[in-house]
Amino acid sequence: MCAKATMEEFEALLNESLAIDTPDEGSVVKGRVIAIEAGQAIIDVGYKMEGRVDLKEFANPGEAPSIAVGDEVEVYLDRVENARGEASISREKARREEAWDRLEKAYAAEERVEGAIFGRVKGGFTVDLGGAVAFLPGSQVDVRPVRDAGPLMGLKQPFQILKMDRRRGNIVVSRRAILEESRAEQRAEVIANLTEGQTVEGVVKNITEYGAFVDLGGVDGLLHVTDMAWRRVNHPSEILSIGETVKVQVVKINKDTHRISLGMKQLQADPWDTVGNKFPIGSVHAGRVTNITDYGAFVELEAGVEGLVHVSEMSWTKKNVHPGKIVSTSQEVDVMVLEIDEAKRRVSLGLKQTMRNPWEVFAETHPVGTVIEGEVKNITEFGLFVGLEGDIDGMVHLSDISWETRGEDAIQDFRKGDVVKAVVQEVDVEKERISLSIKALENEAMAEAVEGVKRGSVITVAITAIEEGGIEVEYNGMKSFIRRSDLARDRQDQRPERFQVGDNVDVRVTNIDTKTRRLGLSIKAREIAEEREAVEQFGSSDSGASLGDILGAALKSKN
């Protein structure tokens, strides 16, 4: 009984001894290098166990292995015994376990860790963090895109852990966060020494379409294109080049965002201070067209002073034309100052005001009644537009086309391009309107035809047509109509058929109406006038002489 108890106690003690002395698989143990052969280090981990580790596991990325016989090292025990009866150990896994413990503490405390970039992978780089491999995304390498990462390879530097998952073995780090933090500190220090209105020197670091970034010694400021010069600058490269040292003024500092606005033109005299004296309203100046828009053209009067010629002030005659068809960029033009708004820094200019108003010129050279000749430019439902001198148009209203024909019918006889003659009826300079008349030409012809003829005159006309209500006659190219009641004194002789076409007949002028182009004629009035004249000269009915005797005597005297 006693012997049995002793054996059980011995077995328990043995098991306890083995449990204490034999390390657990999957743990980190200490060992000593007892030999180096065939590229491997033989390590005694105690407990009568030895294992082999490749020398490369003792080397940092990009460095030669540093190990010697007698060195004490920590290794990871995979298995107590492998197929060769040796312990399966790994220095790399030991370093990884050690590194993960250290990195987790740093991640929790948001502390920086040291590492070295040693490889390139898709989307970024690999970083050795002292035994653990982390991923460095390309966007997290620097504050600006890096084209060549060669100088950064193998260089020990600080990183910030963004994310880590030990179970999956993933670690994501950032170099950019470190740079931004140090940059922010440096930026805050520089900004603290700057004041708005201060003049400083800087180096042009980058140029964009909207401006240039200037390095003020650790902090960048934006020099906007509108603050480079008082004149219009199309692109910053016209004035600046990368690497150039410039003198600028601190225009504004945003303490919250640490953004700095810079200006160069603020160091120069403002040309707007003397605009009112240099360019008084109504004065004419030479300028250069700098920009053309749909609503007008900008003209530079001097460096930093531009004015707008609105499209309505560009031409007297071209109303609905794009400004680009009147002027061109860089063209030298004469303009008149129309208005100045110094508060808004605006100058209104006029181009057409430097030329005489063509309607005024036409009114001076073509007074009312002048006969003009021009080409039909357009035909509308209310009249004809005729091209005149000075690139202007005059209008012939429907009612001024013809005396005999309705305007709607008379206009059908005209086509674009026809050359017509007309009389100037009215010139309205303010409304830019010129009224013409074609039918007034016939008044001119009538005035010429009846020159010297007065009311009561007796003229000879030619019969051109016989009608039931009277006869049509012509005098010097003018046609007129004598009604049946005016064909004779006696009623029985008032018959149109007693006349023949082509006959000449004397008639008395009873009316001359130049506005309606009508000539009033009467044979009856002529006969009555002749009878009255004969009575006055040769007697009267009271003297006993008959009318036949009186008329006979008058005719005899006339003969």
Side-chain angles (χ1 to χ4, degrees):
M1 187 73 178
C2 183
K4 184 178 181 180
T6 303
M7 288 296 295
E8 290 176 355
E9 290 176 1
F10 177 76
E11 185 177 352
L13 290 171
L14 179 62
N15 291 334
E16 184 180 351
S17 176
L18 291 175
I20 295 173
D21 294 338
T22 305
D24 294 331
E25 293 181 350
S27 63
V28 177
V29 297
K30 287 187 178 182
R32 185 171 58 86
V33 179
I34 59 176
I36 296 177
E37 58 183 37
Q40 292 181 321
I42 303 173
I43 301 174
D44 178 9
V45 294
Y47 319 104
K48 298 182 180 180
M49 292 186 297
E50 295 178 357
R52 295 174 180 269
V53 179
D54 289 338
L55 293 180
K56 64 181 180 180
E57 292 190 26
F58 294 94
N60 293 323
E63 299 178 5
S66 177
I67 189 72
V69 175
D71 290 348
E72 283 194 359
V73 294
E74 288 185 343
V75 292
Y76 183 84
L77 181 60
D78 271 332
R79 294 176 61 189
V80 173
E81 187 176 352
N82 58 18
R84 295 185 295 180
E86 297 177 340
S88 179
I89 58 177
S90 170
R91 171 58 184 163
E92 185 176 338
K93 289 184 178 180
R95 292 177 69 243
R96 187 181 306 159
E97 289 297 316
E98 179 188 350
W100 272 95
D101 291 338
R102 174 172 48 83
L103 295 174
E104 283 182 338
K105 291 178 182 179
Y107 180 59
E110 296 183 356
E111 296 176 350
R112 301 177 182 180
V113 295
E114 190 176 72
I117 302 173
F118 69 90
R120 185 187 295 272
V121 294
K122 183 178 181 181
F125 303 88
T126 52
V127 179
D128 177 33
L129 299 178
V133 178
F135 173 63
L136 174 63
S139 61
Q140 296 296 322
V141 175
D142 206 328
V143 291
R144 290 187 176 87
V146 176
R147 296 182 180 178
D148 182 15
L152 301 176
M153 302 294 285
L155 180 65
K156 285 191 176 183
Q157 52 193 315
F159 294 90
Q160 188 75 40
I161 300 176
L162 301 181
K163 180 181 178 182
M164 66 185 303
D165 187 340
R166 188 162 187 168
R167 184 174 59 85
R168 296 183 179 180
N170 292 336
I171 304 176
V172 180
V173 295
S174 171
R175 178 175 177 269
R176 175 177 178 173
I178 304 296
L179 296 176
E180 287 181 341
E181 186 176 341
S182 60
R183 184 183 178 88
E185 294 174 357
Q186 185 180 16
R187 189 182 186 91
E189 183 180 351
V190 174
I191 291 176
N193 296 325
L194 292 177
T195 57
E196 293 184 1
Q198 180 181 355
T199 300
V200 295
E201 281 192 352
V203 178
V204 179
K205 196 172 183 179
N206 190 25
I207 294 178
T208 66
E209 290 184 359
Y210 55 86
F213 288 94
V214 180
D215 185 359
L216 302 178
V219 60
D220 291 349
L222 174 62
L223 175 59
H224 198 270
V225 64
T226 56
D227 286 315
M228 291 183 178
W230 290 109
R231 66 177 179 84
R232 180 187 293 272
V233 179
N234 296 317
H235 195 277
S237 59
E238 296 177 7
I239 298 178
L240 303 174
S241 58
I242 295 177
E244 179 183 356
T245 300
V246 294
K247 187 174 288 188
V248 293
Q249 184 181 93
V250 179
V251 177
K252 186 176 181 182
I253 300 175
N254 190 320
K255 299 292 185 180
D256 297 329
T257 61
H258 288 183
R259 290 183 179 176
I260 303 173
S261 298
L262 305 174
M264 286 178 61
K265 72 179 184 182
Q266 287 78 0
L267 300 176
Q268 306 165 2
D270 187 352
W272 278 89
D273 293 340
T274 58
V275 164
N277 296 329
K278 284 187 177 181
F279 308 101
I281 294 175
S283 60
V284 177
H285 304 271
R288 181 177 62 87
V289 179
T290 58
N291 192 26
I292 298 176
T293 67
D294 292 337
Y295 53 85
F298 288 91
V299 177
E300 184 182 59
L301 299 177
E302 69 172 11
V305 179
E306 281 186 350
L308 173 66
V309 181
H310 193 267
V311 64
S312 61
E313 306 293 347
M314 302 198 81
S315 172
W316 290 108
T317 57
K318 299 174 182 177
K319 302 296 185 182
N320 299 314
V321 177
H322 190 276
K325 294 186 178 180
I326 301 177
V327 295
S328 57
T329 305
S330 299
Q331 180 182 348
E332 297 288 336
V333 293
D334 287 333
V335 290
M336 178 181 287
V337 179
L338 304 180
E339 183 181 355
I340 297 177
D341 188 336
E342 294 186 8
K344 295 183 178 179
R345 304 172 78 91
R346 293 178 181 174
V347 179
S348 297
L349 303 173
L351 185 64
K352 69 181 184 182
Q353 286 79 358
T354 61
M355 299 169 278
R356 285 205 65 192
N357 186 333
W359 280 272
E360 288 183 356
V361 176
F362 186 88
E364 293 175 3
T365 56
H366 299 80
V368 174
T370 304
V371 177
I372 59 90
E373 186 176 277
E375 182 182 328
V376 177
K377 297 292 185 180
N378 195 18
I379 300 176
T380 67
E381 59 182 8
F382 49 83
L384 305 171
F385 284 91
V386 180
L388 305 174
E389 294 178 12
D391 199 23
I392 58 178
D393 292 342
M395 191 188 80
V396 181
H397 194 268
L398 287 177
S399 59
D400 286 312
I401 295 179
S402 174
W403 289 104
E404 281 79 19
T405 310
R406 291 173 64 248
E408 291 79 359
D409 298 329
I411 200 171
Q412 303 299 324
D413 296 331
F414 295 89
R415 298 289 182 272
K416 281 186 180 181
D418 289 352
V419 177
V420 298
K421 287 185 177 181
V423 178
V424 178
Q425 297 287 91
E426 181 186 5
V427 180
D428 191 329
V429 176
E430 290 186 2
K431 294 183 179 179
E432 299 180 350
R433 294 178 183 173
I434 299 175
S435 299
L436 306 174
S437 174
I438 293 177
K439 73 179 186 181
L441 289 170
E442 300 179 24
N443 288 344
E444 298 291 327
M446 176 183 178
E448 185 178 344
V450 299
E451 184 178 2
V453 177
K454 299 180 180 179
R455 186 176 179 182
S457 300
V458 175
I459 59 175
T460 301
V461 298
I463 300 174
T464 56
I466 307 295
E467 298 181 7
E468 185 179 350
I471 60 175
E472 183 183 74
V473 297
E474 181 178 319
Y475 177 72
N476 287 348
M478 275 190 58
K479 290 187 177 182
S480 187
F481 188 77
I482 303 176
R483 294 176 298 175
R484 188 186 187 101
S485 59
D486 284 315
L487 292 179
R489 175 178 179 274
D490 296 330
R491 189 177 182 85
Q492 64 270 17
D493 293 331
Q494 295 175 350
R495 294 175 289 108
E497 58 269 19
R498 74 187 182 91
F499 296 94
Q500 297 292 328
V501 173
D503 289 351
N504 291 329
V505 61
D506 291 338
V507 297
R508 184 181 176 89
V509 179
T510 59
N511 186 35
I512 300 175
D513 191 342
T514 56
K515 290 186 177 180
T516 61
R517 281 188 67 257
R518 295 186 181 278
L519 194 62
L521 304 176
S522 174
I523 298 175
K524 175 182 177 180
R526 188 210 74 201
E527 292 177 347
I528 293 175
E530 289 177 351
E531 179 182 336
R532 184 182 301 114
E533 184 180 349
V535 169
E536 290 176 355
Q537 291 185 9
F538 299 100
S540 67
S541 56
D542 295 336
S543 64
S546 66
L547 182 59
D549 294 336
I550 295 172
L551 293 176
L555 290 172
K556 184 176 180 182
S557 174
K558 188 175 183 180
N559 292 334

